Amino acid sequence: MLVTAVVGSGIAAARLSPTDVGLQLLENAVATALALGALILVFGPVSGAHLNPVVSAVDWWLGRRFGTGLSVRDLAAYVPAQVAGAVAGAVLADVMFGLPAVTWSRTDRSGANLWLAEVVATAGLVVLVFALARTGRTTAAPAAVGAYIGAAYWFTSSTSFANPAVTVGRTFTDTFAGIAPTSVPGFVAAQLVGGLVAVAALAAWYPHAGHTADAVVVPHPIRESAP
């Protein structure tokens, strides 16, 4: 659903404002930010709203010493689900707008400046999520995470993909939000580096972040109790 919002709003923006790229980006950013906040509210109680493999990997890494966060088994299940969901979301958006279900993107997004932007965008996102958990403010996660991604559309040159699964999903659509498959390795590598930068920052600013890894992105029960 996140990638459906990203791709679908990108298609709508290109159709509604065909001669104004800045307005297209604004429309795309606002729709994505609002959808992300809503999706965290929906899926937070189910899975913690783990929509991002980097967030999930850092959650496992920081929580492993304290018996918190995702287990290796959880992480191994989450990442394929995140990627599959992203691909399905792009296909759904294409079909809803009357386009071929799958068309490989031809939008090249490569260059050191874009990779740096992805490091910054991803690191900031991960630090935000863990800072909220560590300080007991996860109720603000839907608004805060949505606001951060919406803003990062504008303050990063890459328009803040900040998510390897979303990056892969966006290769399946040759529309406003697409990214060429050849550009994916650089983006994903930069996002992983961003995750490492976030780990280092959290070690300095929130050295006990692993204690609250169970609350990332928001607290969620391991198993729902029977009524």
Side-chain angles (χ1 to χ4, degrees):
M1 293 306 298
L2 174 59
V3 176
T4 298
V6 172
V7 173
S9 63
I11 297 170
R15 292 181 179 180
L16 293 170
S17 311
T19 62
D20 192 333
V21 177
L23 183 55
Q24 291 173 13
L25 184 61
L26 177 61
E27 293 162 347
N28 191 206
V30 170
T32 299
L34 294 176
L36 180 55
L39 291 172
I40 291 173
L41 289 172
V42 172
F43 294 112
V46 179
S47 64
H50 277 247
L51 308 178
N52 190 324
V54 175
V55 171
S56 298
V58 174
D59 189 45
W60 161 73
W61 178 258
L62 293 181
R64 73 194 193 288
R65 291 182 299 167
F66 307 104
T68 58
L70 297 181
S71 66
V72 173
R73 182 178 178 181
D74 290 335
L75 182 62
Y78 270 43
V79 173
Q82 291 158 344
V83 174
V87 172
V91 171
L92 176 60
D94 282 344
V95 172
M96 284 197 300
F97 282 88
L99 300 174
V102 176
T103 304
W104 296 114
S105 176
R106 293 170 291 178
T107 303
D108 179 64
R109 300 178 189 264
S110 60
N113 63 313
L114 300 182
W115 300 332
L116 175 60
E118 282 302 292
V119 172
V120 171
T122 307
L125 174 62
V126 174
V127 169
L128 170 62
V129 166
F130 280 85
L132 291 173
R134 183 68 185 93
T135 57
R137 295 177 294 164
T138 53
T139 54
V145 174
Y148 175 82
I149 291 298
Y153 259 79
W154 291 90
F155 73 72
T156 64
S157 58
S158 63
T159 66
S160 182
F161 284 48
N163 185 324
V166 167
T167 303
V168 171
R170 288 167 71 164
T171 66
F172 285 75
T173 179
D174 191 22
T175 59
F176 180 81
I179 178 173
T182 54
S183 299
V184 168
F187 262 56
V188 171
Q191 291 155 359
L192 294 176
V193 171
L196 294 176
V197 171
V199 169
L202 289 166
W205 300 333
Y206 294 94
H208 302 293
H211 287 291
T212 53
D214 278 340
V216 173
V217 174
V218 297
H220 58 287
I222 295 175
R223 183 176 299 166
E224 185 175 311
S225 301

